[in-house]
Amino acid sequence: MYSKNVPTSFPKDFLWGGATAANQIEGAWNIDGKGLTTAEVVKKAENHHTLTMNDVTKKSLQEAIDDKTDVNYPKRRGVDFYHHYKEDIAMLAEMGFKAFRLSIAWARIFPKGDETQPNEKGLEFYDRVFEECHKHGIEPVVTISHYEMPLNLTLKQNGWASRETISEFTKYTRVLFNRYKEIVKYWMTFNEINAIQGGFTGTGALDSQLSVSEKAQVRFQALHHQFVASALAVEQCHKIDPQAKIGCMLARMQTYAKTSDPKDVRAAQFQDQLNLFYTDVQVRGEYPEYMNRYFKENNVELKMVEGDEAILKQGKVDYLAFSYYMSNVTSAKQDVEKFSDTFIAGESNPYLETSDWGWQIDPVGLRVSLNEFWDRYRVPLFVVENGLGAVDELTHDGKVHDQYRIDYLRKHVIQMKEAIKDGVDLIGYTTWGPIDLISASTSEMSKRYGFIYVDQDDSGNGSLKRIRKDSFFWYKQVIASNGDKLE
Ligand code: BG6
């Protein structure tokens, strides 16, 4: 009779926690030597819910540079984690966090990106943050580049469109690995590397005036530079701190076929490959064949330098991290083989509910994705973002009853547990925005994800007071029971 040990729940050392990004929480955009970043020139939406993250033109960029306030640029103020980090980390510790994912603002370390020496004051800030995490027994999980870069690199060389940016990044990562050797055990290179598909936020390159096919050329070339930079960082990290683990990070878009018509199934398969292509390169160390045809048919000619392929092979990641918020539906009606310059697309799924922002909520899809990743790659997996963006109300007695968030998270935790029982090697779960922060796509404050409410509105008014929501107490019990008590 065949019998083998089947895990029944989360492993003992499972990394429960939450995830943030520097440009969405820190604030302090122009102090202690920090330079202006690409995230800080993206305007607040004039209409609620409007996506603004890639709406940057030469003209709007100049306006942003001339504007020395944070009024129209919420990512300049974040939620002032820079001055509240002790209080915030203590609250995460109160929930029992084992891990806290945060990013380092490149422009705190190299304000313009092209200096020869790092900004010591910037490094000292992260020294203090990591020290505070360790004091509470929390493992920092660090993203090296989360949707931002020093703006000077955009002005000087059009961001990642230029190959020169690789060496600036390599200089930055070398400083980080040396400084935080044995302090940071988990690194990841680029947040949601597939965000290049949407433009500026992912690439730091200004291309909004170009045609769709010209955009494809710029974006995939920028991506190639990021792939090389990421692989070089993996190699550096392994050399400098052999105990550390370094991963890639993908925005996972699980794709389903609209019907069982084989044409729809094929369209969905290819749409899914277009999502998995990024991890194919970073986990397997080479471009998959199906992309060669896609590049050819979309007139993309990647400029590679001799040695690039060897670098990609050498710099395979240790684990695969991903964000998971929604799934997608595709039919043959969509021409998936043609490059699309939007990041989130697809058709609606009649079986799923959506968030107030139209994101299709699909907990089972998380189990599907986990199994798919595990089957395909056989490397440890880490869910580093998942959560519900919602408008929360502070009641007159100063509470936030966010049962909808608890329901959302509970359903996803149940599916992760099922995936673990399926045999998937899942090492952790960091929910998005454990403390309310500025939305990446809309720059709103009112799109909240946190267990901790921050008293600040879309215009930056408020006391910045931190308040525990109902979900705070729920997550605390989930962590304490290692995922067993979910009610
Ligand atoms: C991910 C990003 O795409 O989704 C985060 O890595 C972002 O930076 C999160 O905040 C949620 O998106 P949004 O637009 O609701 O903030």
Side-chain angles (χ1 to χ4, degrees):
M1 208 172 87
Y2 181 78
S3 103
K4 200 134 199 245
N5 283 344
V6 176
T8 53
S9 192
F10 294 95
K12 251 194 356 273
D13 50 358
F14 193 71
L15 294 166
W16 294 100
T20 60
N23 73 82
Q24 295 172 259
I25 57 166
E26 284 180 5
W29 64 287
N30 56 358
I31 68 167
D32 290 339
K34 181 177 161 298
L36 195 59
T37 72
T38 47
E40 292 155 351
V41 297
V42 176
K43 262 205 170 145
K44 176 173 85 177
E46 280 172 22
N47 298 312
H48 202 40
H49 293 193
T50 315
L51 271 60
T52 58
M53 69 201 293
N54 293 311
D55 292 352
V56 180
T57 58
K58 272 197 181 143
K59 184 166 170 274
S60 76
L61 189 60
Q62 195 50 52
E63 278 168 20
I65 294 169
D66 295 341
D67 190 337
K68 307 290 180 219
T69 73
D70 67 12
V71 178
N72 293 313
Y73 304 96
K75 287 171 187 157
R76 295 183 182 185
R77 57 177 174 266
V79 292
D80 200 27
F81 175 79
Y82 197 80
H83 297 107
H84 287 74
Y85 71 94
K86 282 194 180 183
E87 172 191 353
D88 292 346
I89 294 170
M91 286 177 93
L92 305 181
E94 193 185 322
M95 276 186 278
F97 271 38
K98 313 279 182 227
F100 176 35
R101 175 176 172 233
L102 70 160
S103 73
I104 292 182
W106 183 352
R108 270 197 206 289
I109 313 304
F110 287 99
K112 293 189 148 196
D114 56 3
E115 297 87 345
T116 49
Q117 292 305 314
N119 171 31
E120 183 58 25
K121 281 218 149 88
L123 288 164
E124 283 170 7
F125 170 63
Y126 296 104
D127 291 348
R128 295 195 293 276
V129 169
F130 297 147
E131 199 186 313
E132 206 59 27
C133 288
H134 288 303
K135 198 172 103 191
H136 290 285
I138 296 175
E139 207 60 73
V141 175
V142 179
T143 319
I144 295 169
S145 176
H146 190 128
Y147 280 181
E148 68 183 334
M149 67 194 301
L151 185 67
N152 178 53
L153 295 181
T154 293
L155 302 173
K156 190 176 161 190
Q157 56 207 37
N158 213 17
W160 282 103
S162 160
R163 195 170 171 100
E164 306 299 306
T165 302
I166 299 175
S167 50
E168 303 300 2
F169 187 78
T170 308
K171 176 185 65 186
Y172 164 55
T173 53
R174 187 175 308 112
V175 167
L176 299 188
F177 298 139
N178 280 311
R179 180 83 166 209
Y180 302 120
K181 182 175 169 169
E182 288 163 21
I183 293 175
V184 172
K185 278 198 212 147
Y186 295 94
W187 296 95
M188 59 195 88
T189 51
F190 292 92
N191 180 63
E192 298 189 334
I193 193 157
N194 46 327
I196 60 100
Q197 196 171 342
F200 185 74
T201 288
T203 60
L206 280 180
D207 66 9
S208 55
Q209 315 296 330
L210 302 181
S211 68
V212 174
S213 88
E214 287 167 334
K215 282 179 185 167
Q217 176 63 38
V218 171
R219 294 180 190 181
F220 284 112
Q221 188 63 52
L223 174 68
H224 179 69
H225 297 148
Q226 293 187 350
F227 279 151
V228 172
S230 176
L232 288 169
V234 169
E235 222 187 322
Q236 264 179 348
C237 179
H238 287 160
K239 272 200 194 123
I240 299 172
D241 190 357
Q243 301 306 317
K245 301 277 175 224
I246 180 158
C248 56
M249 198 300 204
L250 179 82
R252 175 62 176 143
M253 304 281 176
Q254 179 67 49
T255 305
Y256 304 127
K258 188 162 186 175
T259 72
S260 49
D261 178 343
K263 291 197 192 77
D264 287 347
V265 175
R266 165 60 200 160
Q269 178 189 45
F270 191 60
Q271 184 70 57
D272 217 43
Q273 282 177 317
L274 285 179
N275 185 239
L276 295 171
F277 139 64
Y278 301 84
T279 38
D280 278 357
V281 175
Q282 295 188 290
V283 180
R284 292 172 163 165
E286 58 189 7
Y287 279 84
E289 290 81 3
Y290 57 83
M291 284 310 281
N292 297 333
R293 177 172 178 187
Y294 178 81
F295 287 146
K296 189 160 178 236
E297 290 177 358
N298 284 281
N299 302 315
V300 173
E301 276 186 44
L302 284 191
K303 286 186 208 73
M304 291 207 196
V305 165
E306 213 190 314
D308 279 4
E309 283 171 321
I311 291 171
L312 297 182
K313 274 229 150 54
Q314 188 62 30
K316 289 190 247 174
V317 292
D318 300 321
Y319 66 93
L320 188 168
F322 65 102
S323 62
Y324 181 84
Y325 293 92
M326 65 187 108
S327 58
N328 244 336
V329 169
T330 296
S331 74
K333 243 186 20 214
Q334 280 177 264
D335 193 357
V336 291
E337 273 149 46
K338 210 156 144 223
F339 173 73
S340 149
D341 60 353
T342 49
F343 187 32
I344 303 175
E347 301 183 30
S348 64
N349 187 332
Y351 300 98
L352 301 178
E353 290 178 358
T354 57
S355 77
D356 291 349
W357 276 261
W359 293 11
Q360 307 197 109
I361 303 171
D362 181 12
V364 174
L366 176 55
R367 179 179 176 188
V368 176
S369 275
L370 282 164
N371 272 281
E372 187 162 350
F373 278 139
W374 180 242
D375 288 348
R376 198 174 179 106
Y377 301 122
R378 298 271 148 181
V379 294
L381 305 175
F382 197 164
V383 179
V384 293
E385 283 187 37
N386 172 237
L388 180 69
V391 176
D392 290 336
E393 266 187 51
L394 192 60
T395 59
H396 52 273
D397 55 346
K399 303 214 154 117
V400 179
H401 302 303
D402 56 344
Q403 188 58 42
Y404 38 89
R405 179 165 297 111
I406 296 174
D407 292 342
Y408 175 102
L409 294 171
R410 180 197 295 116
K411 288 179 189 155
H412 286 83
V413 173
I414 289 172
Q415 294 303 322
M416 286 191 301
K417 199 192 269 192
E418 290 304 318
I420 289 171
K421 292 198 224 165
D422 294 334
V424 170
D425 181 6
L426 180 62
I427 60 172
Y429 178 60
T430 54
T431 66
W432 179 249
I435 177 162
D436 290 346
L437 36 68
I438 306 292
S439 155
S441 58
T442 68
S443 287
E444 288 166 291
M445 185 67 212
S446 47
K447 189 179 188 187
R448 296 172 185 271
Y449 286 86
F451 303 117
I452 302 166
Y453 183 90
V454 177
D455 178 28
Q456 177 173 249
D457 67 13
D458 286 338
S459 305
N461 305 308
S463 64
L464 290 176
K465 191 172 164 212
R466 277 57 172 155
I467 297 161
R468 294 163 184 79
K469 303 181 193 176
D470 288 357
S471 56
F472 181 100
F473 302 100
W474 173 81
Y475 198 45
K476 183 176 176 176
Q477 154 205 295
V478 172
I479 299 177
S481 64
N482 200 23
D484 277 347
K485 281 203 185 132
L486 297 175
E487 288 315 308

